[in-house]
């Protein structure tokens, strides 16, 4: 299945996702203990609850029955989980014949008990979350800057600024090109990439050139087709298109890259999130002295979303913080063992309906310990309904990377958050985008600027920009070099609709917009 001119038709993507996407709830299930038949009590609620705990939590955190309405459970999520439990809709005893004792499976009686449990325990519908503070409809000190429109429909998959050069870049899923932008928002097409770039980390090579390590996803749709690549691009080259090096190929939908010298040999290595669908992982690309790269798997599950590097245990060696956003969702700490490998510690677990989409470590409460800013809201799997637990979360670090939830603001389909002192008053504010916002009833939540006026008290400003685009990506920049952080938002103008009857009215010919910061305190 491929994009036609960069876009999957809605009906085809919906059909594909409805058939298979819900299976992500059982990604990564590998344990196979000796099978012990469940002893039924005769109470539907007791048996169902016990079986859900027994069967489902082997592979991911428990999904509460009230997380989805009963029609979604029965007609979508459970139906899509059945094959991973080795349930056949054509009779039999519920197991594949070649592996009758695989306890990732269930008998037909057990499966029917699970279904009956959700029919009784799940609500008829999910009530929308009430926003604790109403959105303020204003510009909050920002002004809108737009480039000249393009002649084609924009499918911007990445926006980024090189912190060393302050040069701004974008990528597009249709023409698969890498573009650069000047301070007047004039676009220059630099190179054609092997597929849409969705992530990048910047650095310098041995010759001192500014380079970018671009995660080229291969397929936008979440399917297992490993044709993604990590491309090292010399951004200083006179002909950028001719100075590209594939440092990793045949990857399962790479979405993020970060760099660090993990073995202290003076050469920068690259970490890649291969999100995949049922097959994926996190990969270390170790740079050799001849500047080739050896690939090593350091986390062997699909669903990775983002990594951040740092010395998280203060031993002088770079470590990795990892966010996973499907299947076994959560936050993980990968500590450098100083021998070429990593030890893994789970910090937070989330049910696989959260759709964790981004994180940032920043000291919100000024106690010297980095806190966690998290967004949850990817919403294009089998349960494509608005979810009251999607939104912006803040977890405070209570010590030794133990996190406690301190604050939450509901945002349908929240995609990314950036925390910075936008107004210069000494505390952190937060900007969010929501690609799966309630565009039909509340398009204002597609972009919200949270102005922190006192500790953990935020004024949510909804800037009136939903008519300009559908924001898949967002990064911080300083367009006018005034020292204040601006924001650039990338417009993925068509596809991935999930609300019946909604007809987009945004501008399909703007690749991006910039929110120039003129806030004052």
């Amino acid at each position: 299945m491929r994009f036609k001119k960069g876009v999957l038709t809605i009906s085809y993507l919906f059909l594909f996702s409805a058939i298979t996407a819900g299976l992500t709830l059982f990604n990564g299930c590998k344990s196979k203990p000796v099978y012990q038949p469940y002893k039924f009590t005769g109470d539907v609620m007791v048996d169902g609850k016990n079986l859900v705990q027994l069967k489902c939590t082997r592979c991911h955190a428990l999904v509460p029955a009230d997380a989805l309405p009963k029609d979604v459970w029965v007609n979508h999520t459970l139906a899509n989980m059945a094959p991973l439990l080795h349930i056949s809709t054509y009779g039999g005893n519920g197991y594949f014949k070649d592996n009758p004792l695989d306890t990732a499976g269930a008998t037909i009686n057990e499966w029917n008990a699970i279904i009956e449990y959700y029919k009784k325990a799940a609500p008829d519908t999910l009530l929308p979350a009430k926003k604790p503070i109403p959105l303020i409809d204003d510009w909050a000190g920002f002004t809108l800057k737009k480039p000249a429109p393009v002649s084609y429909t924009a499918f911007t998959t990445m926006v980024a600024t090189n912190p060393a050069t302050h040069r701004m870049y974008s990528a597009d899923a249709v023409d698969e090109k890498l573009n650069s932008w000047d301070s007047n928002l004039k676009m220059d097409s630099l190179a054609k990439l092997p597929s849409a770039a969705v992530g990048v980390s910047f650095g310098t090579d041995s010759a001192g050139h500014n380079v970018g390590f671009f995660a080229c996803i291969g397929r936008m749709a979440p399917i297992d087709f490993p044709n993604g690549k990590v491309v090292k691009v010399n951004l200083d080259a006179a002909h950028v298109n001719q100075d590209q090096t594939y440092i990793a190929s045949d990857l399962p939908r790479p979405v993020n890259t970060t760099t660090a010298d993990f073995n202290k040999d003076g050469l920068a290595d690259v970490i890649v999130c291969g999100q995949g669908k049922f097959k994926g992982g996190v990969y270390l690309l170790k740079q050799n002295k001849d500047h080739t790269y050896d690939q090593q798997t350091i986390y062997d599950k699909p669903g990775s979303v983002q990594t951040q590097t740092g010395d998280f245990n203060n031993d002088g060696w770079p470590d990795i913080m990892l966010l996973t956003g499907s299947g076994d969702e959560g936050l993980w700490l990968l500590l450098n063992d100083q021998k070429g490998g990593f030890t893994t510690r789970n910090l937070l677990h989330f049910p696989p309906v959260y759709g964790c989409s981004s994180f940032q470590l920043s000291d919100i409460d000024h106690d010297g310990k980095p806190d966690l800013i998290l967004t949850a809201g990817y919403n294009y799997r089998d349960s494509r309904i608005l979810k009251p637990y999607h939104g912006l979360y803040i977890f405070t670090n209570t010590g030794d990377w133990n996190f406690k939830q301190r604050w939450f603001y509901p945002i349908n389909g929240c995609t990314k958050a950036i925390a910075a002192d936008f107004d210069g008053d000494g505390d952190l504010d937060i900007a969010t985008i929501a690609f799966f916002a309630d565009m039909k009833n509340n398009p204002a939540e597609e972009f919200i600027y949270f102005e922190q006026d006192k500790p953990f008290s935020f004024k949510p400003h909804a800037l009136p920009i939903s008519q300009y685009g559908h924001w898949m990506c967002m990064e911080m920049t300083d367009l006018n070099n005034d020292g204040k952080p601006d924001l650039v938002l990338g417009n993925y103008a068509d596809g991935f609709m999930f609300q019946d009857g909604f007809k987009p009215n945004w501008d399909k010919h703007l690749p991006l917009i910039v929110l120039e910061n003129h806030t004052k305190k």
Side-chain angles (χ1 to χ4, degrees), residues 3 5-7 147-159 170-176 179 181 187 220 435 468-473 489-497 506-513:
F3 277 81
K5 296 182 180 179
V7 189
V150 295
S151 59
Y152 51 86
T153 299
F155 291 92
T156 304
T157 55
M158 182 205 76
V159 288
S170 71
D172 188 278
V174 176
D175 57 18
E176 299 174 338
N179 305 305
W181 300 80
M187 184 178 70
M220 288 293 291
F435 188 67
Y468 297 109
H470 191 201
W471 317 123
M472 175 177 274
C473 45
L489 281 61
N491 180 18
Y492 194 96
D494 202 359
F496 294 101
M497 300 295 104
W506 51 68
D507 192 333
K508 293 187 176 183
H509 301 287
L510 279 178
L512 54 81
I513 64 171

Side-chain angles (χ1 to χ4, degrees), residues 132-425:
I133 304 174
L135 295 177
I136 304 168
D137 186 10
D138 65 4
W139 285 94
F142 291 88
T143 59
L144 176 67
K145 301 293 182 183
K146 298 188 298 180
V150 295
S151 59
Y152 51 86
T153 299
F155 291 92
T156 304
T157 55
M158 182 205 76
V159 288
T161 297
N162 187 339
T165 65
H166 304 289
R167 190 73 169 172
M168 193 166 75
Y169 299 89
S170 71
D172 188 278
V174 176
D175 57 18
E176 299 174 338
K177 287 184 178 179
L178 174 65
N179 305 305
S180 68
W181 300 80
D182 65 16
S183 59
N184 295 315
L185 293 185
K186 182 180 178 181
M187 184 178 70
D188 181 23
S189 182
L190 297 181
K192 184 174 176 61
L193 299 172
S195 62
V198 296
V200 63
S201 58
F202 297 101
T204 56
D205 62 13
S206 58
H209 298 132
N210 288 290
V211 298
F213 297 91
F214 292 89
C216 297
I217 194 169
R219 303 287 182 93
M220 288 293 291
I223 60 176
D224 283 319
F225 193 89
N227 66 334
K229 295 177 173 61
V230 175
V231 184
K232 180 181 177 182
V233 179
N234 180 0
L235 300 171
D236 291 339
H239 302 285
V240 173
N241 200 48
Q242 300 173 11
D243 204 339
Q244 302 181 37
T245 305
Y246 295 176
I247 65 172
S249 299
D250 302 323
L251 294 174
R253 300 182 65 248
V255 296
N256 177 255
T257 61
T258 50
T259 59
D261 182 5
F262 291 99
N263 57 359
K264 292 190 174 184
D265 64 354
L267 301 171
D269 310 307
V270 183
I271 296 294
V272 185
C273 288
Q275 190 172 87
K277 182 175 175 60
F278 301 122
K279 299 177 182 179
V282 178
Y283 311 103
L284 169 64
L285 305 181
K286 177 183 174 295
Q287 186 176 181
N288 301 313
K289 292 181 179 180
D290 62 358
H291 307 301
T292 60
Y293 291 81
D294 292 333
Q295 182 175 318
Q296 172 188 345
T297 301
I298 59 174
Y299 180 85
D300 192 18
K301 290 182 182 180
S304 57
V305 173
Q306 180 190 345
T307 56
Q308 183 173 327
T309 61
D311 183 8
F312 298 124
N313 60 353
N314 298 313
D315 66 351
W317 291 73
D319 309 304
I320 302 167
M321 199 75 74
L322 165 68
L323 178 68
T324 55
S326 66
D328 196 11
E329 289 199 34
L331 187 71
W332 314 80
L333 178 58
L334 279 65
L335 291 174
N336 194 329
D337 66 6
Q338 306 179 22
K339 301 175 183 178
F342 297 85
T343 59
T344 302
R345 171 187 166 193
N346 176 249
L347 303 180
L348 290 169
H349 247 140
F350 303 105
V353 289
Y354 269 49
C356 293
S357 48
S358 78
F359 80 99
Q360 182 176 330
L361 298 175
S362 296
D363 188 3
I364 290 283
D365 54 11
H366 303 287
D367 68 350
K369 299 187 293 291
D371 305 306
L372 174 67
I373 299 160
L374 176 82
T375 61
Y378 185 83
N379 206 11
Y380 212 74
R381 298 190 183 97
D382 63 313
S383 56
R384 300 179 192 176
I385 59 171
L386 300 175
K387 300 178 173 74
Y389 40 83
H390 279 178
L392 174 64
Y393 291 82
I394 298 177
F395 294 81
T396 54
N397 184 348
T398 61
D400 192 29
W401 301 106
N402 294 303
F403 290 108
K404 181 179 181 181
Q405 183 177 326
R406 174 70 182 271
W407 188 85
F408 170 69
Y409 193 92
I411 306 171
N412 289 298
C414 196
T415 306
K416 186 170 184 178
I418 295 178
D421 185 6
F422 288 100
D423 56 12
D425 65 351

